[in-house]
Amino acid sequence: MEKIYNLGVEATLEVIGGKWKPIILCQLGHGALRTGEMRRRIPAITQKMLTQQLRELEGDGIIAREVFNQVPPKVIYSLTKEGKSLREVLIAMSVWGEDRISKDQKNGKNVQILSPDYTGFVEM
């Protein structure tokens, strides 16, 4: 079945949209990680959601999954070349979001950012 997009941004958001995918990508921007390490770095995500998001990102060719044949099994996730190509998009989105939060705060809105550290995108 043919897929039709109104704008290119739809295709981008289909791959990296949502609450967790940008956070996962930022963490992987620092380097390859095991699932358990990602859970420690993103404590609010459930194991089920992390697994689902990792599978989707892998299916879209944004991250790679490497399985080591050992007991217990060892799995490492890393960014692919295509995943790293999202660097400028994710940095721009982070900067825009921080500016937006700052404006909202100046206008008296009760909004905060827990971690303005998006260096994972810079290091991609």
Side-chain angles (χ1 to χ4, degrees):
M1 185 171 177
E2 181 181 10
K3 191 164 224 171
I4 300 172
Y5 297 102
N6 289 304
L7 298 169
V9 72
E10 288 179 84
T12 306
L13 291 174
E14 185 175 7
V15 174
I16 64 167
K19 179 177 182 176
W20 300 111
K21 287 180 182 176
I23 297 170
I24 292 167
L25 294 173
C26 187
Q27 293 303 320
L28 289 174
H30 294 291
L33 292 171
R34 294 180 71 172
T35 310
E37 181 60 27
M38 271 192 268
R39 280 276 291 134
R40 283 187 285 285
R41 292 183 182 198
I42 314 170
I45 194 170
T46 64
Q47 183 63 47
K48 179 182 176 184
M49 182 58 68
L50 177 59
T51 301
Q52 177 184 332
Q53 300 295 284
L54 290 170
R55 285 182 183 155
E56 289 176 12
L57 288 166
E58 181 186 12
D60 288 327
I62 304 302
I63 64 172
R65 179 178 184 260
E66 185 176 3
V67 180
F68 295 86
N69 191 13
Q70 65 183 53
V71 178
K74 178 180 176 182
V75 179
I76 294 181
Y77 293 92
S78 60
L79 292 169
T80 62
K81 185 176 179 179
E82 187 165 358
K84 291 177 182 179
S85 75
L86 288 164
R87 179 183 187 270
E88 298 303 321
V89 171
L90 294 167
I91 290 171
M93 290 174 68
S94 296
V95 170
W96 188 91
E98 288 179 11
D99 289 346
R100 176 66 183 232
I101 291 167
S102 180
K103 287 176 188 173
D104 285 350
Q105 289 171 336
K106 288 176 185 170
N107 290 328
K109 292 187 180 175
N110 186 11
V111 61
Q112 64 175 321
I113 184 168
L114 293 177
S115 177
D117 179 15
Y118 58 88
T119 57
F121 300 143
V122 176
E123 294 174 6
M124 285 182 162

